[in-house]
Amino acid sequence: MIPHNVGDLENDGDPIKLYEYLSAGKYVITTKIGGVEVFRDHIAIANNNEDFGDHLAKYLKEETFRSELEEKRKKAITDEHTWAFKADLILKE
C-alpha cells in the first residue's frame, strides 16, 4: 500500500517503493499521487478512501486475482525505472 495524502507536496513525487513492490510482484494499491499513473495497468489507483478500501477488499478475497497478475506486475518495471539507468543519466550530464 502507498496511502499518501494527495496535495500540493505529493503531486510531483516519484514513489520509489512502487518500483520495489512491482519488481517483487506485489499487488499495489496507491492514492493518486505523481509518478503512479504510468503504471495504471499494473496497480490499483484509488481516487478516494472508499475506492482504496474497495481495491483492498478485492485483493484480500481473490486468490486467483493475486497469482494471475504477479508475473505481469514484475514485467511492469522496465529498464528506465532501474537504478542503473538513473545512474547512467546522471553520469552522462
Side-chain angles (χ1 to χ4, degrees), residues 4 26-27 31 47-48 53 59 66 68-69 73 78 80:
H4 285 238
K26 300 296 181 188
Y27 180 65
T31 49
N47 295 311
N48 54 47
Y59 169 75
R66 290 193 301 257
E68 261 178 26
L69 296 179
R73 288 189 298 268
T78 55
E80 71 264 14

Side-chain angles (χ1 to χ4, degrees), residues 5-37:
N5 287 321
V6 178
D8 292 338
L9 297 176
E10 292 82 15
N11 287 341
D12 294 324
D14 187 8
I16 300 300
K17 66 180 102 183
L18 173 62
Y19 308 129
E20 295 166 352
Y21 295 164
L22 286 173
S23 65
K26 300 296 181 188
Y27 180 65
V28 178
I29 304 168
T30 182
T31 49
K32 198 170 188 174
I33 57 174
V36 300
E37 194 63 35

